[in-house]
Amino acid sequence: MQFFGTADKDTGPIRSVQVDWNDDSDIAGTRNARYKNHLGKDACDNSDFAHSEDRACTDDYFYFTHTYKCPSNAASTVRACVSDSDSNCFAAVCPENVDGAIAGNGSCCVFKPRVQLTDNWGWCNGDCTGTGRGCYLSDCDIGDVQPHWTSFAGRVIVVPK
């Protein structure tokens, strides 16, 4: 997984980067660190401190790797998907056409990983207040609450093997 992320120009640096693979594995990432803003090509334009390439900005992605698994007996061992936003579930009819799938247009396991970045002041991504301004301090605690994460817009599709 690779993604860009930034703290507000007045609240950096990024102090925590967490990745929830949404497959019951441990959350990846670090807390209590200091990260530059990861803004992408040509975004580190030295227009302010947060965009200064040598001090607070990089055009690199945050980059994490993970291996998903979908066992051959997933139909009987993994809970069934019930909605398009479901994760860590088994779809008897996969939402995508998959070569080598078991039945129909294929069965598959479906995952939606998500990320959370927290800045130096305790703000994290999400929408805990309904204002779109993010979440703050204890609202950013890692857990099952959805608003303080940004989910992958697509789905990770894994064919049973």
Side-chain angles (χ1 to χ4, degrees):
M1 169 190 295
Q2 54 189 20
F3 56 92
F4 295 116
T6 185
D8 182 85
K9 67 181 180 141
D10 296 321
T11 64
I14 297 169
R15 296 299 305 264
S16 170
V17 178
Q18 304 286 308
V19 177
D20 180 357
W21 300 107
N22 253 331
D23 67 350
D24 296 329
S25 64
D26 290 339
I27 291 174
T30 58
R31 302 183 124 211
N32 299 320
R34 286 189 166 84
Y35 293 99
K36 289 182 175 184
N37 291 321
H38 286 57
L39 297 177
K41 187 173 173 125
D42 300 326
C44 299
D45 59 9
N46 295 312
S47 59
D48 57 33
F49 179 78
H51 290 86
S52 62
E53 187 169 11
D54 59 332
R55 299 177 69 198
C57 185
T58 178
D59 60 1
D60 294 331
Y61 293 103
F62 284 105
Y63 184 80
F64 291 85
T65 60
H66 183 69
T67 301
Y68 283 103
K69 297 177 182 162
C70 185
S72 59
N73 65 344
S76 61
T77 60
V78 178
R79 72 177 181 79
C81 298
V82 294
S83 74
D84 286 343
S85 62
D86 234 352
S87 182
N88 196 13
C89 59
F90 180 78
V93 177
C94 193
E96 309 284 336
N97 270 331
V98 181
D99 287 339
I102 293 172
N105 77 332
S107 56
C108 61
C109 295
V110 179
F111 305 95
K112 286 185 75 70
R114 56 191 187 162
V115 300
Q116 181 195 70
L117 276 63
T118 305
D119 70 15
N120 197 44
W121 287 18
W123 286 94
C124 67
N125 54 299
D127 189 9
C128 291
T129 62
T131 64
R133 296 191 59 205
C135 302
Y136 187 62
L137 292 177
S138 64
D139 289 333
C140 297
D141 289 344
I142 303 298
D144 289 334
V145 181
Q146 279 294 119
H148 61 258
W149 293 90
T150 300
S151 293
F152 175 51
R155 294 175 266 217
V156 176
I157 306 295
V158 181
V159 175
K161 293 288 181 191

